[in-house]
Amino acid sequence: RLLAVGPPYTVFLAFRRAMRVEHTASRGLWWELQSEAAVSKQSAASSSRRPCEPLLIENWEGIFRFAPPAELCALRAACREWRGRLDDPEGDGLWEAAYRAEWRGQGGAVWHVEEPANLWRLRFLMRWWAHGRWGTRQPTVCTLMGKKAHTGTVTCVALGEFTLDSGEGAAVSSSDDGAIFLWRFARVGGGNNTLAGSPHAVAMQHHRQCQGGDIRCPQRAKQFYGHAGPVWCLHFSPEQGQLLSGGYDGTIKSWSLQDERCVATLRGHEQWVTALQSMQGGRRVISGGSDGVIKLWDLDSLECSLSVGPPNDNPRHSTSCMALLEQQGVLLSAHAGMPHLLRRDLETMRPRDCCLGHSDDIYAIHADPSYSLLVSGSKDRTVRVWDTRLPAGKCVGVLRAHTGAVLDLKLQGNRIVSASMDKTVRMWDIREQGAPVATLEGHSAEVHCVDFRDRMVLSGSRDTSLKAWTVI
């Protein structure tokens, strides 16, 4: 029956690769296919071969489910019949299972129009295409600075989801000038694309910036003002319609994305608010301050339900950053003057153990909620990867390439993007703990913040510029 759907050699290779069959175990099938191929060459292709009934769709799905997600694309390209089976809308559940197995159900990209019948196949193939080409080409970049951008150091950036149908997306940025901007991304259309006449693209940094029509140019759509000083941290969740900010004035503000106004202000920190994390679907917020205090807030009642003092009751241990693993009931925090991470119980916020490895202050930590991995960046110029399933959070990898302190970083799956005082942004693959996949150079001062999606990297620097890098 396998021979009825394609050339014997092609079928055998694709089948053996997908099923992970050992060479010794498949030797008998190999000689059978070789004999069949020899008979087919000696006689007419259609008349000499005995007709065979194709497998039912249920049988094909049973076979394809043995294939790892990475092999589905190879099976789809093996022959026309297999491609037809895999592209059948009735088999879209197979692509959904592959997508969730590969990316643990991450949203990735969404649709704004009516969803097609084979949504999961399109979603998997588009993201797999981007996943396999991540960092393999010279990036193009769009730089935003000047009157229509921030006038101070860009302190935070956060990317939202991008749509599959139009390639549009959203991002937010904040600065020590007290402003928060919402940016919209749209694909530049037309044949002769130029950003010179765009009021939103002030500077052209790279000669490849306008080639190919694939550069995404951010346009400032909305602005939010209300903090009495610099904005140090953000939490952006466009799916929940939530934008939170913490600033130098010691307040946490919740903003309406539609009305561009502050809808709630949380007061309780005596000094700067330096870190924010959201939990329970956006109903609760955890904040950390420069005095080392960590607070838990209820956004329904706008009250602080729990407050924990600084480590060792020393206010010099200011909270530098936090990462949340809600499913494991763990909050990780880093503090000034402490070269290790504190693992806190999410209910009591009390430390229960620590993660040792760095030799200097930790400036950034980030966790992918779909995985058990955590990454941290330090003044010691290294990026460390931690497995939170192991006792005391064992370090399972160290990435070295930066020549300055690592100020920010983000983790998604096995990809990491880090920003540093050496004025560069580096792209990493956890599976290859040698040199970075790519290095993005263009900022003229230290890079304070970074975020990324499949094909987009967004970075902000002390040079007041915001750069959108298209890396695929």
Side-chain angles (χ1 to χ4, degrees):
R1 291 186 176 182
L2 285 173
L3 296 176
V5 298
Y9 182 77
T10 303
V11 171
F12 171 75
L13 288 183
F15 182 79
R16 176 178 153 189
R17 184 182 181 190
M19 301 301 183
R20 306 290 186 186
V21 180
E22 297 294 337
H23 178 68
T24 55
S26 59
R27 187 173 298 170
L29 177 60
W30 165 248
W31 286 113
E32 182 179 348
L33 290 172
Q34 285 283 66
S35 301
E36 181 67 23
V39 172
S40 299
K41 291 180 180 180
Q42 295 175 1
S43 59
S46 58
S47 59
S48 62
R49 293 185 62 177
R50 182 173 69 251
C52 184
E53 181 182 357
L55 288 177
L56 299 176
I57 185 63
E58 293 80 5
N59 299 39
W60 279 109
E61 289 186 359
I63 292 175
F64 290 146
R65 288 187 188 279
F66 281 96
E71 306 296 344
L72 280 180
C73 295
L75 288 172
R76 186 171 174 268
C79 63
R80 187 176 303 172
E81 286 76 7
W82 284 16
R83 185 186 186 96
R85 297 293 187 183
L86 288 170
D87 289 355
D88 193 323
E90 295 182 1
D92 202 45
L94 180 67
W95 294 100
E96 179 181 1
Y99 186 97
R100 297 188 183 281
E102 188 68 25
W103 292 290
R104 305 291 178 89
Q106 298 177 30
V110 296
W111 295 85
H112 276 176
V113 297
E114 183 178 355
E115 296 183 353
N118 51 0
L119 168 66
W120 284 105
R121 178 179 66 84
L122 297 176
R123 181 176 291 182
F124 179 91
L125 292 177
M126 179 166 288
R127 191 161 190 184
W128 183 256
W129 178 88
H131 188 76
R133 290 162 177 78
W134 194 73
T136 59
R137 55 163 276 185
Q138 182 178 351
T140 56
V141 59
C142 181
T143 303
L144 300 175
M145 62 188 303
K147 295 182 179 180
K148 294 186 178 294
H150 290 290
T151 59
T153 299
V154 182
T155 56
C156 293
V157 293
L159 277 169
E161 304 296 346
F162 285 81
T163 60
L164 286 172
D165 52 337
S166 62
E168 297 180 350
V172 292
S173 63
S174 65
S175 170
D176 61 6
D177 60 10
I180 303 173
F181 293 154
L182 174 67
W183 305 88
R184 296 291 183 188
F185 290 78
R187 184 179 298 275
V188 176
N192 184 18
N193 293 310
T194 176
L195 300 181
S198 172
H200 305 287
V202 181
M204 296 175 58
Q205 294 283 322
H206 293 269
H207 67 280
R208 297 190 64 223
Q209 177 170 323
C210 305
Q211 295 181 2
D214 62 344
I215 179 66
R216 299 175 188 275
C217 179
Q219 301 182 17
R220 197 178 82 184
K222 296 181 180 180
Q223 47 275 330
F224 306 87
Y225 294 96
H227 282 285
V231 180
W232 293 121
C233 51
L234 290 174
H235 174 75
F236 180 47
S237 178
E239 298 85 1
Q240 301 170 357
Q242 186 179 64
L243 175 60
L244 301 171
S245 62
Y248 180 83
D249 56 5
T251 65
I252 303 165
K253 292 184 179 292
S254 177
W255 305 88
S256 170
L257 295 177
Q258 299 295 331
D259 302 332
E260 303 181 47
R261 63 182 183 89
C262 177
V263 295
T265 300
L266 307 178
R267 294 180 172 88
H269 284 281
E270 296 181 0
Q271 298 186 30
W272 315 343
V273 179
T274 57
L276 288 174
Q277 290 291 324
S278 177
M279 58 183 291
Q280 295 184 4
R283 293 187 296 108
R284 289 194 170 189
V285 176
I286 305 173
S287 62
S290 61
D291 54 1
V293 176
I294 294 178
K295 294 180 177 289
L296 176 64
W297 304 85
D298 190 328
L299 291 185
D300 295 331
S301 62
L302 301 180
E303 297 290 338
C304 176
S305 58
L306 181 63
S307 181
V308 179
N312 305 322
D313 293 327
N314 187 348
R316 294 185 178 181
H317 295 315
S318 62
T319 306
S320 303
C321 49
M322 299 187 301
L324 178 65
L325 292 170
E326 189 172 358
Q327 295 181 353
Q328 300 182 23
V330 173
L331 175 72
L332 295 108
S333 62
H335 301 264
M338 303 177 66
H340 52 269
L341 297 173
L342 296 182
R343 286 165 43 113
R344 300 174 178 269
D345 184 88
L346 198 54
E347 294 183 358
T348 63
M349 297 295 173
R350 296 292 180 183
R352 58 189 189 190
D353 55 31
C354 59
C355 303
L356 302 174
H358 285 292
S359 59
D360 213 327
D361 286 9
I362 300 171
Y363 291 152
I365 52 178
H366 189 253
D368 190 330
S370 303
Y371 294 81
S372 60
L373 295 179
L374 173 83
V375 292
S376 60
S378 169
K379 188 179 178 180
D380 62 12
R381 301 176 292 180
T382 65
V383 174
R384 289 185 177 265
V385 184
W386 312 82
D387 191 340
T388 58
R389 297 171 298 183
L390 302 178
K394 182 179 179 181
C395 177
V396 295
V398 182
L399 307 177
R400 294 183 174 90
H402 283 293
T403 58
V406 180
L407 300 180
D408 194 17
L409 78 174
K410 293 294 186 294
L411 166 70
Q412 288 186 16
N414 52 19
R415 313 291 196 188
I416 302 175
V417 171
S418 58
S420 170
M421 289 190 70
D422 60 12
K423 308 176 186 178
T424 67
V425 175
R426 299 183 189 266
M427 302 165 59
W428 309 83
D429 190 325
I430 293 179
R431 300 166 298 182
E432 303 174 4
Q433 295 188 12
V437 176
T439 299
L440 309 180
E441 298 177 312
H443 286 288
S444 59
E446 55 264 30
V447 186
H448 277 266
C449 50
V450 70
D451 198 3
F452 78 103
R453 288 297 180 263
D454 291 326
R455 63 186 66 195
M456 178 70 65
V457 176
L458 190 65
S459 60
S461 168
R462 191 173 65 87
D463 61 12
T464 73
S465 71
L466 184 71
K467 289 183 181 288
W469 310 81
T470 303
V471 297
I472 295 177

